[in-house]
């Protein structure tokens, strides 16, 4: 399943490159230094140009390194998206070091920032499942549950949330989890 409507918001899964998304904001799976890196972080800075890195530099000069679970916002530079929300997911250490709570915070704080800025659409990559090693199905459960709960609690906030999954295996894992969530929410909504 690749789409679920939650209250007034369309939650969609697509396979592709997040740097091409024209939502108001795209989310970067950054690291604490905010100075770019590999994976989706490198792709966003390459496509977005130096203005994003310059703002990241100013943020780190002002407030220091960004802890896991937190989020900040910069311009989208040359990207089709107006803003980039940089968040830091947890590094996977086996699941006993608060990884799920930190991943929940990364999604929740990104959504909060978008709604505080009155944005109407946002795209996420699969945070932490690349270099940071978080198992994909477990990460998809956290990601999708967190987004669905946020939209249920904040029904008038966003019009569209997109997960842009880079490879077929990641897309399929998210689609399977979304299917389970859809089955459960439809049971809850039943009269
Ligand atoms: P992390 O360090 O949080 O694990 P990574 O960038 O290493 O972040 O990986 C997170 C996910 O982003 C992986 O599924 C990776 O395949 C994916 N990814 C890499 N490049 C892109 C891109 N251009 N658009 C969307 N997702 C991407």
């Amino acid at each position: 399943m690749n789409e679920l409507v939650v209250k007034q918001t369309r939650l969609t899964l697509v396979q592709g490159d997040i740097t091409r998304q024209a939502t108001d904001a795209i989310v970067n799976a950054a690291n604490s230094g905010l100075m770019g890196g590999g994976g989706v972080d490198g792709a966003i800075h390459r496509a977005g140009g130096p203005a994003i890195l310059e703002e990241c530099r100013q943020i780190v000069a002002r407030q220091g390194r960004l802890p896991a679970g937190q989020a900040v916002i910069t311009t989208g530079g040359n990207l089709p998206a107006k803003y980039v929300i940089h968040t830091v997911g947890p590094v996977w250490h086996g699941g006993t070091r608060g990884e799920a709570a930190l991943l929940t915070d990364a999604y929740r704080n990104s959504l909060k920032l978008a709604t505080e800025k009155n944005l109407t659409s946002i795209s996420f990559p699969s945070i932490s499942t690349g270099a940071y090693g978080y198992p994909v199905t477990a990460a998809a459960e956290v990601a999708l549950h967190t987004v669905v709960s946020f939209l249920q609690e904040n029904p008038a906030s966003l019009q569209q949330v997109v997960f842009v999954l880079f490879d077929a295996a990641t897309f399929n894992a998210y689609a399977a989890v979304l299917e389970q969530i859809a089955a459960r929410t439809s049971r809850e909504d039943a009269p």
Side-chain angles (χ1 to χ4, degrees), residues 26 62 74 88 95-96 107 120-121 137-138 148 155-157 166 168 174 177:
I26 64 171
R62 206 164 53 233
T74 67
V88 181
T96 57
Y107 281 101
T120 61
S121 56
T137 295
V148 168
S157 52
F166 205 49
Y174 276 70
V177 172

Side-chain angles (χ1 to χ4, degrees), residues 152-168:
Q152 285 168 338
E153 292 157 17
N154 302 274
S157 52
L158 293 151
Q159 288 169 12
Q160 196 190 13
V161 178
V162 185
F163 276 87
V164 183
L165 293 330
F166 205 49
D167 56 88

